[in-house]
Amino acid sequence: MANNNYTSSPRDAQWREELRKATPVKERTSIPRVKMPELDPAYRITCNEEVNQGLSAEAAVLEATRCMDCPDPQCVTGCPVSINIPGFIKNIERKDFHAAAVVLKETSALPAVCGRVCPQEKQCESRCIYHKMRKEPVAIGYLERFAADNERLCGCHAVPETAPKNGIKVAVVGSGPAGLSFAGDMIKRGYDVTVFEALHEIGGVLKYGIPEFRLPNEVVDVEINALAALGVNFVKDCIVGKTLSYDDLHEMGFKGIFVASGAGLPRFMGIPGENYIGVMSSNEYLTRINLMGAGRPDHDTPILKGKRVAVIGGGNTAMDSVRTARRMGAESAMVVYRRGEAEMPARAEEVKHAKQEGVEFLTLHNPIEYLADEKGRVNMMRVQKMELGEPDASGRRSPVPIEGAIIDIPVDLVIVSVGVSPNPLIPNAIPALEVSRRGTIVVNEGTMQSSLSDIYAGGDIVRGGATVILAMGDGRHAAAAMDAKLSE
């Protein structure tokens, strides 16, 4: 068991200096980036097993050896929760896997989750020094997953240090990544933390939104159980704003409230035919299957199944939906996206996996109408062909319709995945809370504090839809700011 001084040693610690000297730079940089073992596509579409199988210890150590242990590690600046990336990777290199897990848990409440679903290629790995050498970056995400999984599988759980209890109660509304990250930081600071979850499962979007073939529930549960072991109290089936009011929380003695209620309202495009049977949101589709067991022999939750399925959108949720449809028996499954593949916000790995699983990509096309049979069940999708015009405000080139280029495509299930809107429950229940025109809670970006001094907020209820790791970053920033205020 590694002690804290051993795991958190600075770069100039003797063991790290010796580790750098043990392998010459030229040798480190000549090692090719590791490849993630994957289930065979023909098999994996028949089940819900996790596609990425994880690295072996030997592969993890070799990949960790590639890390240069930079004096100014830019990878850390690219991480929204500021994980000590070289610190945990160097522990893997010297085969102290437990120490690596300890370093991760100093800043991250969900390392096994982040190692699987975070867009490392756009964050930490995008800052890796290997890019300057025109080489592939260190596989930080794979190594993070390895350290967390090794801890889970060996049963030697790393327990982060916690401050003495201070007797101050704080409440968390929502048990998604922002709420769990906040809870983890506040319990380590000595607070009495209670997380209120509206659904019957803890985990928020990690449970209802992300399929098990990408993030197994068992992995999420281990992370949640670790927080419970530290003392976080979880309350299920409790809707703050309905079951409990803002005043109720005050009467219960809570001195601070962190709202992480997410963005659970699906958006539609407002085109003709969206009310036909067989046109549904990705939110509903994934929730029924992931959280409510639709399609499983031991569950009664109904779900529409289609032979020809179209998913509208190009994000990770669209990839999750279309890949789920393949596993639900779709003979043909396609992604319809109004821009080109290069503009897709989905992770490159998810697009690759979808293609391997037989998903078709109809890019530069946009649905303009759905048609139905005599029973009102969708049977056709009318699609407008697009081309890319000038860049929009975000810098992406805007899609422009090509006049007269319209085609009809037979479909029997359409899953709309064009974004979500913030959950309005908390804003509606607390009229004094300042809300933007988009329905998001307005906060101070530095502290995550709302217009009400005891309410902080983060994640999708503030951002309107973002990644797991950005939500976790919000949770960490809010915890630091609330702690500073309550400690005055």
Side-chain angles (χ1 to χ4, degrees):
M1 301 287 282
N3 61 55
N4 192 55
N5 182 55
Y6 196 49
T7 59
S8 296
S9 299
R11 184 177 183 272
D12 60 1
Q14 184 177 351
W15 71 266
R16 283 177 70 167
E17 290 185 351
E18 291 174 352
L19 205 60
R20 287 194 297 276
K21 293 176 182 176
T23 307
V25 169
K26 187 174 182 180
E27 186 177 331
R28 290 184 189 276
T29 58
S30 67
I31 301 170
R33 177 178 161 120
V34 71
K35 302 298 181 186
M36 173 63 73
E38 301 173 353
L39 288 180
D40 179 76
Y43 169 73
R44 69 196 194 214
I45 62 170
T46 68
C47 64
N48 221 25
E49 293 178 26
E50 187 174 13
V51 171
N52 284 347
Q53 293 291 284
L55 302 181
S56 66
E58 293 76 17
V61 170
L62 186 62
E63 182 64 22
T65 304
R66 296 181 70 224
C67 175
M68 306 285 284
D69 201 4
C70 300
D72 182 22
Q74 291 301 301
C75 54
V76 177
T77 68
C79 174
V81 297
S82 300
I83 288 171
N84 180 0
I85 293 170
F88 93 80
I89 290 180
K90 291 297 101 178
N91 275 299
I92 292 176
E93 182 181 346
R94 65 175 180 160
K95 303 181 182 179
D96 193 339
F97 305 145
H98 177 75
V102 172
V103 173
L104 281 168
K105 289 198 170 181
E106 289 171 354
T107 52
S108 176
L110 307 169
V113 171
C114 292
R116 286 169 164 84
V117 304
C118 286
Q120 292 94 6
E121 67 278 6
K122 296 178 182 178
Q123 294 174 336
C124 55
E125 292 183 14
S126 74
R127 310 286 183 90
C128 181
I129 195 171
Y130 272 84
H131 287 292
K132 294 182 178 179
M133 303 178 226
R134 300 180 183 272
K135 294 176 180 285
E136 290 188 286
V138 174
I140 298 169
Y142 293 171
L143 293 174
E144 181 179 17
R145 169 186 167 152
F146 169 80
D149 283 1
N150 182 77
E151 177 196 37
R152 172 173 55 88
L153 295 171
C154 77
C156 51
H157 297 294
V159 180
E161 290 187 357
T162 56
K165 290 295 182 183
N166 59 24
I168 302 175
K169 295 175 65 177
V170 296
V172 185
V173 182
S175 67
L180 294 177
S181 180
F182 174 88
D185 273 22
M186 291 302 270
I187 201 74
K188 286 188 283 188
R189 285 179 160 94
Y191 290 85
D192 182 345
V193 183
T194 300
V195 178
F196 296 96
E197 169 55 52
L199 299 175
H200 64 282
E201 288 272 359
I202 301 296
V205 70
L206 303 176
K207 283 286 186 73
Y208 72 76
I210 304 178
E212 288 206 77
F213 57 77
R214 196 152 72 90
L215 177 62
N217 285 342
E218 176 190 9
V219 170
V220 180
D221 287 337
V222 167
E223 307 275 49
I224 292 168
N225 291 340
L227 291 174
L230 289 176
V232 176
N233 180 37
F234 292 99
V235 179
K236 304 174 186 176
D237 301 308
C238 183
I239 306 173
V240 173
K242 293 290 185 182
T243 314
L244 292 175
S245 69
Y246 179 46
D247 291 338
D248 289 335
L249 294 177
H250 286 155
E251 291 176 8
M252 295 166 70
F254 291 105
K255 303 301 182 185
I257 301 166
F258 180 63
V259 179
S261 49
L265 289 184
R267 290 184 197 154
F268 286 88
M269 297 174 63
I271 62 177
E274 283 185 321
N275 290 327
Y276 285 136
I277 300 167
V279 180
M280 64 195 305
S281 70
S282 57
N283 183 286
E284 178 184 357
Y285 184 69
L286 292 173
T287 299
R288 283 178 177 272
I289 294 169
N290 296 338
L291 187 67
M292 303 169 68
R296 299 180 201 168
D298 54 341
H299 287 72
D300 296 326
T301 304
I303 188 70
L304 290 173
K305 295 184 180 181
K307 295 295 184 185
R308 292 184 58 84
V309 180
V311 175
I312 316 303
N316 287 325
T317 304
M319 298 308 127
D320 288 342
S321 299
V322 77
R323 296 175 65 198
T324 296
R326 286 288 283 143
R327 286 159 174 78
M328 296 294 287
E331 295 173 1
S332 168
M334 72 171 65
V335 168
V336 182
Y337 183 56
R338 62 181 184 154
R339 289 182 168 91
E341 186 174 322
E343 289 75 36
M344 276 189 174
R347 296 187 68 190
E349 182 179 67
E350 301 308 314
V351 174
K352 181 193 80 170
H353 284 166
K355 288 182 176 179
Q356 289 173 343
E357 292 164 10
V359 172
E360 302 170 46
F361 282 75
L362 190 64
T363 55
L364 289 171
H365 285 78
N366 203 36
I368 56 174
E369 183 179 5
Y370 301 114
L371 307 176
D373 61 21
E374 64 279 0
K375 295 181 179 179
R377 172 77 185 251
V378 67
N379 65 1
M380 194 74 67
M381 173 176 61
R382 187 154 288 161
V383 180
Q384 167 75 62
K385 190 172 182 180
M386 315 292 283
E387 61 183 356
L388 293 180
E390 295 301 315
D392 62 15
S394 68
R396 291 196 297 174
R397 295 173 65 193
S398 302
V400 179
I402 298 175
E403 187 176 351
I406 296 173
I407 58 173
D408 288 346
I409 301 173
V411 293
D412 56 8
L413 179 63
V414 175
I415 302 164
V416 181
S417 184
V418 294
V420 288
S421 298
N423 189 326
L425 189 59
I426 297 295
N428 289 346
I430 310 175
L433 203 58
E434 184 182 354
V435 179
S436 73
R437 284 189 293 178
R438 294 188 302 143
T440 57
I441 295 176
V442 176
V443 299
N444 178 306
E445 291 185 8
T447 65
M448 310 308 293
Q449 187 178 37
S450 75
S451 57
L452 296 176
S453 62
D454 65 336
I455 293 183
Y456 295 68
D460 288 354
I461 191 64
V462 168
R463 295 177 178 271
T467 62
V468 167
I469 193 68
L470 287 174
M472 289 178 63
D474 289 348
R476 293 209 74 209
H477 294 145
M482 185 186 291
D483 173 52
K485 183 175 186 296
L486 293 176
S487 301
E488 291 177 351

